[in-house]
Amino acid sequence: YKKKVFTEHNTFNRRRKYKVFRLIDSFFYIFYSKIICISRGTKTALEEWLIGERPKAKLEIIYNGVDFSAFDRKKNNFENLKQKFLNGNEIIIGMVGSFTKQKNQKFLIEVIEKLPKNFILKFAGEGESLNCVKRYTEDIGVKDRVEFCGLIKDIPSFYNQLDIYVHSAHWEGFGLTVVEAIASGLPVLASNVSGLKELIEPTYLFQNKDKDNLINLINNIFIKDDFINIEKSYEISKKRFDIYVMTEKYESIYKLIWKMTEQNIKKDVLLSTIGGYFVAALNFVVNLILIRHLSAELYGLFSYIVNQSRRIFRFLDFSFVELILISKKRDLKLSELTESFILHSIVRLLIVLIGG
């Protein structure tokens, strides 16, 4: 059968609200050759969700990849950013993500309210909570400081408009946009949750319910000279999350599965050959026994029933009811027919299990 590889993308989904899906997932995940988790957090969450060691043994971690060459980090000059802050110029904070409860955009709006008025917030994305978030900016009086850019086709150009990237999600499987922002040369801050905390150093993480915590980190970017190292963040991320690194790891998994498949094919052929000879010999012996128990005419009828039933059934060659009918016509003992039925069924079982 076809080998299947499945990728788990998040630390949480709607199925995990209901215990019945735990059993269903645990069953179906057995049939995958490998299950790729896009972060350590994703793997840990899935291990806790699945039942039994068999599906858990299939889990592998391969981080999502970003094409770093698609982003121009030269346009984001960190020294110029510090000068803009000192001069009181406009500082643009941005976030990319769908408008859902998971992404927690309201939190950033509450933070922008507390920051000086030269701080502007830009969102890229759409979603079910977009209108609610827009109304919230009006309710707290920051409508003119928050820009909703909608779906952006040219994401690199959006990052080039920003001075700081902040990701405030409640949970993430990985956080691809965080890596994209790093690839764009931006200082990046993110909420301290599973998935995101694997992407950047602990110094740049904030509690996503603590507004003052995030405000202090934003101020540290400008106040502390050694707080953030853009070049270091870029180089570390490129080594871990470049799309070519991801591609190589997936290729290794596929090659491993193919190697295992080849070994299994050779094993199956060998077993099938040995099993075929064994079943043929056993079938010959059983047929000799049947001939001794049955007359030539009845044995012919018996063989006909067996051969015809093979076209219909893979395991039970004939029904016991048919044998009873034959016994009544030929005045044979029921014990003799029962013995024949059992013996031949054992042979067919061995054919299915060993020889196919």
Side-chain angles (χ1 to χ4, degrees):
Y1 66 97
K2 291 182 179 179
K3 301 297 180 182
K4 299 177 181 67
V5 177
F6 179 77
T7 302
E8 189 73 21
H9 288 278
N10 220 327
T11 54
F12 180 78
N13 56 49
R14 284 177 292 180
R15 292 195 312 278
R16 297 186 194 180
K17 293 180 181 179
Y18 308 99
K19 291 183 179 179
V20 66
F21 283 108
R22 191 178 184 194
L23 293 169
I24 294 171
D25 282 356
S26 299
F27 173 74
F28 281 110
Y29 278 38
I30 290 172
F31 297 98
Y32 293 114
S33 300
K34 286 291 181 183
I35 301 163
I36 308 301
C37 302
I38 62 172
S39 68
R40 190 174 292 105
T42 305
K43 182 184 178 184
T44 300
L46 189 56
E47 284 175 332
E48 293 173 355
W49 174 250
L50 295 176
I51 300 170
E53 293 304 314
R54 192 174 172 187
K56 294 178 185 179
K58 301 172 183 286
L59 305 185
E60 299 281 349
I61 298 173
I62 299 180
Y63 287 113
N64 272 345
V66 169
D67 185 0
F68 274 64
S69 64
F71 298 88
D72 186 4
R73 61 187 177 122
K74 294 179 181 179
K75 293 182 180 180
N76 297 286
N77 191 308
F78 189 52
E79 291 303 319
N80 288 343
L81 174 59
K82 286 187 175 182
Q83 194 60 48
K84 286 172 68 176
F85 175 78
L86 293 174
N87 294 339
N89 294 339
E90 187 177 80
I91 304 293
I92 301 174
I93 297 173
M95 177 177 167
V96 178
S98 58
F99 279 82
T100 61
K101 183 180 179 181
Q102 174 190 351
K103 301 302 182 182
N104 195 25
Q105 283 96 341
K106 275 189 176 182
F107 175 77
L108 288 186
I109 291 170
E110 292 170 355
V111 168
I112 209 74
E113 181 194 19
K114 289 193 168 190
L115 287 169
K117 291 187 177 181
N118 62 311
F119 280 81
I120 305 298
L121 183 59
K122 284 190 175 186
F123 289 120
E126 293 183 351
E128 58 191 31
S129 64
L130 176 59
N131 291 331
C132 179
V133 173
K134 284 182 176 180
R135 286 194 298 270
Y136 191 62
T137 62
E138 297 175 3
D139 294 340
I140 66 173
V142 292
K143 180 182 177 182
D144 58 335
R145 296 174 59 196
V146 180
E147 185 178 343
F148 297 91
C149 303
L151 291 176
I152 304 292
K153 291 183 179 180
D154 185 6
I155 282 293
S157 68
F158 177 78
Y159 289 119
N160 286 333
Q161 299 173 31
L162 309 181
D163 296 308
I164 304 171
Y165 184 84
V166 180
H167 202 80
S168 58
H170 286 302
W171 70 86
E172 285 285 0
F174 178 75
L176 194 69
T177 60
V178 168
V179 180
E180 289 177 344
I182 293 172
S184 301
L186 291 169
V188 176
L189 305 173
S191 50
N192 188 13
V193 296
S194 182
L196 293 178
K197 62 184 179 182
E198 297 174 47
L199 308 182
I200 58 178
E201 295 182 20
T203 310
Y204 311 136
L205 299 172
F206 60 87
Q207 302 303 318
N208 58 14
K209 292 183 180 179
D210 189 344
K211 293 185 283 291
D212 292 332
N213 183 196
L214 177 54
I215 290 168
N216 287 335
L217 291 179
I218 291 171
N219 288 329
N220 286 341
I221 291 174
F222 303 104
I223 296 171
K224 294 185 177 181
D225 292 333
D226 58 348
F227 177 70
I228 197 163
N229 188 325
I230 300 292
E231 191 65 29
K232 181 182 176 182
S233 296
Y234 181 89
E235 293 301 328
I236 291 173
S237 294
K238 194 173 190 301
K239 287 179 181 178
R240 297 177 67 200
F241 309 125
D242 193 281
I243 194 167
Y244 298 105
V245 176
M246 180 194 74
T247 303
E248 287 177 2
K249 290 183 177 180
Y250 268 103
E251 188 177 353
S252 298
I253 291 290
Y254 294 145
K255 284 180 178 178
L256 176 63
I257 293 171
W258 175 247
K259 187 176 180 181
M260 292 168 60
T261 303
E262 282 186 317
Q263 291 173 349
N264 289 336
I265 290 172
K266 291 176 182 177
K267 183 180 177 182
D268 290 344
V269 169
L270 179 62
L271 287 175
S272 181
T273 303
I274 295 171
Y277 286 121
F278 174 76
V279 170
L282 186 60
N283 205 23
F284 176 75
V285 173
V286 170
N287 276 284
L288 287 179
I289 295 172
L290 292 176
I291 289 171
R292 289 184 62 185
H293 280 73
L294 303 176
S295 65
E297 183 182 1
L298 185 57
Y299 181 74
L301 177 62
F302 172 86
S303 297
Y304 173 78
I305 293 171
V306 169
N307 290 328
Q308 290 299 317
S309 63
R310 280 175 180 167
R311 299 177 182 179
I312 304 172
F313 304 104
R314 275 187 61 84
F315 174 51
L316 294 178
D317 284 323
F318 51 90
S319 71
F320 197 66
V321 175
E322 288 174 309
L323 287 176
I324 294 173
L325 294 174
I326 293 171
S327 69
K328 286 181 178 180
K329 288 183 179 181
R330 298 296 179 180
D331 196 26
L332 296 173
K333 292 180 180 179
L334 187 61
S335 60
E336 293 176 337
L337 289 169
T338 302
E339 183 181 347
S340 299
F341 172 78
I342 293 172
L343 283 172
H344 203 83
S345 294
I346 290 172
V347 173
R348 288 303 300 153
L349 175 60
L350 288 171
I351 290 171
V352 172
L353 295 180
I354 300 174

